[in-house]
Amino acid sequence: MSLLETIAVTKQFGGLTAVNRVSMHVDEGEIVGLIGPNGAGKTTFLNAIAGLNPPTSGTVRAFGEDTTGLTPEKMCHRGLSRTFQIPRPFPKMTALENVMAAAIFGNRRKPPRDPVAHSREMLEFVEFPESEKTVSENLNTVQLKRLDLARALASSPRLLFLDELAAGLTEGELKDIITIIRKIQENGVTILMVEHIMQLIMNVCDRLVVIQFGSKIAEGPTREVAQDPKVTEAYLGKSQ
Amino acid sequence: METGVSKHEMGFFSSVLDRLCLTPLGALLLVLLALLPLIPPFNQQYLLRWLTIVALSAASAIAFDLTAGFINIVNFGYAAILGLGAYTSAILAVRTGLSPWIGIFVGALASGLLGFLTGLLTLRLRGIFAAVMAWFIGLALMGLAIKMVWLTRGPLGLRVPRMFDTSSNEPYYYMMIVMLLVVYVICRWVTRSKMGLAFKAIGQNMEAARTSGVNPTYYRIVNFTLSCTIAGWLGGFYAHYMGILTPDLMHTSKTVEVLAVVYIGGRGSLWGGAFLAFPFLIAMELVRSGFSNLPGLHLVIYGVILILVMIYLPGGIASLYYRFLYKPWGKFWEFMVGYKEND
């Protein structure tokens, strides 16, 4: 059964159609990559599902029920977590408090007995390099991405959205992230990730969905889609 | 949060301070406040009267900061909400003979209810709507207080029965200090609980808070209502202390006064504004009486200091304390009395 299914999801901003009738599904246990050129509407699509910016039309079904237009906090309580492309923590809180907010308020289904210990565990899981007492406005982007991931995991999601988690990482950091993503999957979390870095996509994604100009142009197992001429064309332009 | 020293490791002294959410320094300042009426020149009645009013401003600064500093919403109708509490308690005392001791709590409920309704209407939207709506409600309340002469006697002033049957200021002063402590402890308890974490999350980043499962509308309404309730309670005290009530208590400039104190003292610290209120408001009062040929000069000074603080010291006076005094003082007190902060 699909954990997440979208049917003809459309998002319009005034006259501009940012996402145009995208239908796709994510099965339980999968890692699905959502790829496409810059400005294709990938993040908008994630926002439409996660509730930050509800779709103009179409249906979103998650966890076996219709969740179209539910608020982000309700989606979080149902088991959907996400990281942000530009990490957005709570700037004046310590790293630990950042994670605790999600551990305390995001866990409606099975609240952890000790939110502090649970949060520490999450920071350890993502190999957070700084002290848990560091105030998060003092962290750099790479550290913020780890913190954001720990925050997203703290609410014990069943479905996790990763929005360009690996952008700007070095080769070594990329390897770490791949290991972490695999570990998240082994813990039974289904992942939908927006990503540009091919090394990561080829390594972890089971299936790919390709979006261009707001419309889905391809979908299928990673190897097949990567060799699809339509997809190379979308990225590189038409060969003469 | 509960990440520091666990309760059973603390000594008696530390655990009492911890319950009261005070540092040893804070407790010392509180003792100083309690002794102040014995120390010249503050043993004079008119100075004690000033101090009482300043302590009232300090307490209202704490409740204002609960909203402005935590959920990032500036309640521009704050003074009017405080005034609503004052008028409710006063009118009940005048018309029905209700004891001021009960009246101030009824006043608090009235203010809290209005805060709740305002919040219910506006707090699902962006913060600016709540700020503007509260401001309009404040203006409307003040307009009512001026126009409903049959009830409030308008600008002529409503004579209100006082709380204590004495002309001396000491009982009022001490009652105000106790109320100041109560307001501080309530706000501190709330903000260091889980609810406080939600407040901070909402104030610092709404999207991340919602994505983490925090329901912003609920927590904002709780916060706003609590802040307004406290304001109404303080307003009731004001009415029964001054003995006369005029509508200019509710003027927006009174809100701005509290806002200036909170911002200069340090938004989000709770104690910053309360601490600053004493030297700052007394200095401003001296300016006002010293330059009586230049009315409004003190307001200009408010503005200039406010702008300077917002540019050069966004964390206010409180941030100076945390930057320079916090660690050395902590070591000092740990050495002296075995106190360890449970942060």
Side-chain angles (χ1 to χ4, degrees):
Chain A
M1 191 199 74
S2 297
L3 200 60
L4 172 73
E5 193 181 4
T6 70
I7 303 151
V9 163
T10 302
K11 178 73 202 177
Q12 288 172 319
F13 296 103
L16 179 84
T17 306
V19 177
N20 188 12
R21 302 184 63 78
V22 174
S23 300
M24 53 97 69
H25 67 97
V26 180
D27 291 335
E28 192 144 15
E30 267 189 318
I31 299 184
V32 174
L34 183 62
I35 66 169
N38 287 321
K42 305 180 295 288
T43 299
T44 312
F45 181 59
L46 289 193
N47 285 345
I49 302 171
L52 275 179
N53 223 332
T56 317
S57 66
T59 306
V60 179
R61 291 182 62 81
F63 317 115
E65 54 178 329
D66 188 344
T67 60
T68 318
L70 283 186
T71 58
E73 55 271 23
K74 282 192 177 137
M75 290 306 282
C76 174
H77 295 151
R78 279 170 171 69
L80 172 75
S81 265
R82 65 169 301 178
T83 66
F84 288 94
Q85 187 174 3
I86 299 154
R88 296 157 166 171
F90 309 114
K92 305 275 179 206
M93 290 189 200
T94 64
L96 183 67
E97 285 175 325
N98 262 279
V99 182
M100 271 172 65
I104 291 172
F105 298 103
N107 269 307
R108 279 281 171 86
R109 286 162 298 122
K110 40 173 182 176
R113 214 175 303 152
D114 184 351
V116 181
H118 180 73
S119 305
R120 289 208 173 108
E121 220 171 275
M122 291 303 126
L123 282 172
E124 215 167 290
F125 184 86
V126 301
E127 293 160 26
F128 186 67
E130 292 292 312
S131 151
E132 64 178 35
K133 290 199 170 152
T134 318
V135 176
S136 73
E137 65 185 347
N138 298 326
L139 297 170
N140 67 31
T141 313
V142 176
Q143 293 161 343
L144 284 178
K145 288 210 162 179
R146 298 238 165 160
L147 179 60
D148 202 27
L149 181 60
R151 183 193 57 72
L153 288 171
S155 59
S156 321
R158 293 159 71 190
L159 177 60
L160 177 65
F161 288 177
L162 303 175
D163 197 351
E164 298 202 24
L165 187 66
L169 296 188
T170 63
E171 196 74 10
E173 290 162 344
L174 198 59
K175 287 222 171 71
D176 289 350
I177 280 293
I178 291 175
T179 322
I180 291 172
I181 291 176
R182 288 219 178 282
K183 275 201 304 195
I184 296 172
Q185 185 190 28
E186 278 161 26
N187 291 343
V189 181
T190 308
I191 298 175
L192 174 62
M193 56 198 286
V194 167
E195 199 49 76
H196 282 298
I197 297 179
M198 280 322 272
Q199 190 190 341
L200 179 64
I201 295 167
M202 300 309 282
N203 242 305
V204 303
C205 292
D206 301 310
R207 272 192 315 120
L208 292 184
V209 173
V210 190
I211 292 187
Q212 187 189 17
F213 302 126
S215 303
K216 186 173 86 175
I217 56 168
E219 181 178 9
T222 304
R223 304 262 154 223
E224 279 174 33
V225 171
Q227 279 154 11
D228 189 327
K230 264 193 298 186
V231 175
T232 23
E233 197 181 286
Y235 271 94
L236 303 173
K238 218 172 195 147
S239 54
Q240 297 301 311
Chain B
M1 296 307 299
E2 309 84 348
T3 56
V5 193
S6 64
K7 297 264 189 265
H8 54 82
E9 286 171 36
M10 289 194 288
F12 173 74
F13 183 67
S14 300
S15 82
V16 169
L17 282 182
D18 185 66
R19 289 280 164 76
L20 292 174
C21 316
L22 287 169
T23 59
L25 184 62
L28 206 66
L29 288 174
L30 204 69
V31 170
L32 186 69
L33 274 185
L35 294 177
L36 217 49
L38 305 173
I39 307 166
F42 295 105
N43 49 4
Q44 300 168 55
Q45 288 297 323
Y46 82 98
L47 275 177
L48 204 54
R49 200 173 163 80
W50 266 18
L51 274 180
T52 311
I53 294 299
V54 168
L56 182 92
S57 300
S60 49
I62 294 172
F64 185 84
D65 194 23
L66 182 68
T67 305
F70 284 84
I71 60 169
N72 226 346
I73 287 173
V74 178
N75 180 354
F76 275 106
Y78 190 71
I81 300 247
L82 189 143
L84 175 68
Y87 270 107
T88 308
S89 184
I91 290 166
L92 281 173
V94 172
R95 290 280 165 129
T96 70
L98 186 72
S99 155
W101 295 94
I102 302 166
I104 60 172
F105 291 98
V106 181
L109 282 182
S111 294
L113 185 66
L114 184 68
F116 173 73
L117 294 175
T118 313
L120 208 59
L121 267 178
T122 56
L123 287 174
R124 347 185 135 259
L125 309 167
R126 276 187 303 140
I128 187 74
F129 290 94
V132 171
M133 184 72 176
W135 188 20
F136 290 165
I137 288 179
L139 292 176
L141 275 178
M142 187 175 146
L144 284 176
I146 294 171
K147 292 288 176 198
M148 291 168 72
V149 179
W150 57 274
L151 189 63
T152 64
R153 286 180 39 86
L156 288 173
L158 181 69
R159 295 195 65 81
V160 189
R162 300 185 82 208
M163 251 172 165
F164 298 103
D165 206 12
T166 165
S167 61
S168 124
N169 282 299
E170 270 89 357
Y172 292 99
Y173 177 72
Y174 284 110
M175 182 175 169
M176 191 58 239
I177 297 298
V178 170
M179 285 173 78
L180 173 63
L181 184 64
V182 168
V183 170
Y184 175 73
V185 170
I186 291 176
C187 291
R188 216 6 133 216
W189 272 358
V190 169
T191 51
R192 73 176 182 182
S193 70
K194 284 178 186 175
M195 195 173 266
L197 191 62
F199 291 163
K200 281 189 249 176
I202 294 164
Q204 291 177 24
N205 187 337
M206 176 71 92
E207 280 189 0
R210 301 187 72 182
T211 315
S212 304
V214 182
N215 179 342
T217 314
Y218 172 77
Y219 286 104
R220 284 162 116 186
I221 290 177
V222 169
N223 179 306
F224 202 77
T225 307
L226 179 61
S227 168
C228 289
T229 309
I230 293 173
W233 190 49
L234 295 170
F237 173 85
Y238 179 88
H240 297 291
Y241 171 52
M242 299 304 282
I244 187 145
L245 211 49
T246 51
D248 39 296
L249 166 70
M250 304 165 100
H251 197 272
T252 312
S253 68
K254 301 283 183 203
T255 305
V256 174
E257 228 171 74
V258 175
L259 180 144
V261 166
V262 167
Y263 276 53
I264 299 169
R267 213 150 57 108
S269 69
L270 290 181
W271 60 267
F275 169 77
L276 184 79
F278 288 90
F280 187 71
L281 288 180
I282 288 174
M284 285 298 124
E285 194 54 45
L286 289 176
V287 168
R288 183 153 61 182
S289 51
F291 295 87
S292 51
N293 52 337
L294 286 172
L297 179 67
H298 67 289
L299 289 176
V300 176
I301 297 179
Y302 276 146
V304 171
I305 298 182
L306 193 58
I307 291 168
L308 289 178
V309 164
M310 283 171 114
I311 296 173
Y312 295 108
L313 196 64
I317 303 294
S319 70
L320 285 181
Y321 167 79
Y322 287 119
R323 205 182 306 160
F324 297 113
L325 276 176
Y326 184 64
K327 277 203 173 140
W329 272 98
K331 289 231 167 68
F332 173 73
W333 284 106
E334 202 179 325
F335 178 74
M336 292 298 285
V337 293
Y339 171 84
K340 217 169 169 191
E341 182 147 9
N342 182 17
D343 54 343

